[in-house]
Amino acid sequence: MIVDFGGDGHPLVLLHGIGGSAAEWRTVAACLTPSFRTLALDLPGHGSSPHEFWSFDRALRDIAALELGDPVVVGHSLGGMVALRWGRANPGAPGVISLDGHRFPITDTKNYPGLSPARVVVDRDRLHDLYRELSHTVPRRKNVWGEIFSSLRHADIVESLPDIQCPTLLVLATGRLPGTEAFTDLLDAYGRGVDRDVTRATTIAPHLTVRRVDTSHALVAERPEEIAGIIHSFATVAVSNFIADA
């Protein structure tokens, strides 16, 4: 399903996270429509999407099918990973924004600096079990959660950040989701790994901007007006530069 929130400005597409839907952007979109034509899209396997199965390629094709020309693409969590892939595939895009959508917490042992690989494997498997339990509480299509977990575990967009040539904003949440207290050591190490690799990317990718926000991963629900302001500020400059360079 596509939700067109209206607005007459440059097109801006909003992509939700895993288990979400286009409708969750209403509060954020209300802050953006005075300046942008704002749309939200159900990702494959979510909401009213016609696609039962998940894939990044399918999500990218769905954005292209909107035929909006050169939209600014914004995503949260899983949607942020899609937005970054859109930027990589469209170097001439005006800009992309990822809201805490970068590396899946269940990843290669090298991405948890300061924690032994043996400990990582144990805690990582426990965290995966928690995610599987949570997946049963969210409406889904067939085995879409399993498909997503599998695709994320083996696809690290952080390592590809320097390959994205369009203006890119990566917003990192510095807080923790409730219920993850048992994974403090693992998630601390995971955060160190993200900071390490994102910092490395900024040294070689001048198009990349990183901003940290004191909220949990659920930043869209927790701070919708603040997040809308961040999106608006970045997108306004990105579109202005895009038009000037056209």
Side-chain angles (χ1 to χ4, degrees):
M1 181 177 73
I2 302 165
V3 178
D4 190 340
F5 293 104
D8 297 321
H10 195 91
L12 187 150
V13 178
L14 301 169
L15 307 172
H16 61 80
I18 186 171
S21 72
E24 69 187 44
W25 289 102
R26 292 190 182 282
T27 302
V28 171
C31 301
L32 298 173
T33 51
S35 301
F36 301 96
R37 185 191 173 195
T38 308
L39 302 93
L41 181 68
D42 281 336
L43 293 174
H46 292 75
S48 299
S49 168
H51 312 299
E52 290 288 344
F53 300 101
W54 164 260
S55 79
F56 280 111
D57 287 344
R58 178 72 266 176
L60 294 176
R61 290 197 296 272
D62 284 353
I63 298 171
L66 296 174
E67 297 184 343
L68 295 172
D70 295 292
V72 175
V73 178
V74 182
H76 170 231
S77 191
L78 178 65
M81 298 179 191
V82 175
L84 293 175
R85 285 167 172 79
W86 176 266
R88 186 173 62 187
N90 296 273
V96 295
I97 302 173
S98 174
L99 304 171
D100 215 38
H102 35 80
R103 172 181 287 155
F104 192 40
I106 300 168
T107 180
D108 193 282
T109 55
K110 70 180 182 181
N111 293 325
Y112 304 86
L115 204 61
S116 72
R119 174 72 183 279
V120 169
V121 169
V122 171
D123 286 358
R124 192 182 58 185
D125 288 348
R126 289 174 53 237
L127 183 60
H128 188 259
D129 290 341
L130 175 63
Y131 284 156
R132 283 192 297 184
E133 291 174 13
L134 292 174
S135 72
H136 296 303
T137 69
V138 180
R140 59 177 178 167
R141 310 276 193 83
K142 297 183 178 178
N143 190 35
V144 68
W145 282 71
E147 295 166 2
I148 293 171
F149 289 168
S150 177
S151 68
L152 295 185
R153 191 163 188 166
H154 303 290
D156 189 348
I157 192 63
V158 173
E159 296 182 353
S160 298
L161 287 174
D163 299 331
I164 304 173
Q165 298 303 308
C166 70
T168 302
L169 174 63
L170 180 58
V171 178
L172 300 179
T174 60
R176 285 285 164 72
L177 284 170
T180 60
E181 294 80 8
F183 302 96
T184 296
D185 291 344
L186 181 75
L187 295 177
D188 281 350
Y190 163 79
R192 291 192 296 271
V194 170
D195 284 340
R196 175 197 65 195
D197 295 336
V198 167
T199 299
R200 182 183 301 154
T202 60
T203 64
I204 57 177
H207 59 276
L208 175 62
T209 302
V210 179
R211 178 164 178 173
R212 290 169 173 80
V213 179
D214 183 20
T215 182
S216 82
H217 183 64
L219 69 178
V220 173
E222 292 177 7
R223 306 271 187 90
E225 290 83 6
E226 180 180 355
I227 296 305
I230 292 171
I231 294 170
H232 188 282
S233 295
F234 180 85
T236 297
V237 174
V239 169
S240 178
N241 291 338
F242 176 76
I243 293 172
D245 292 339

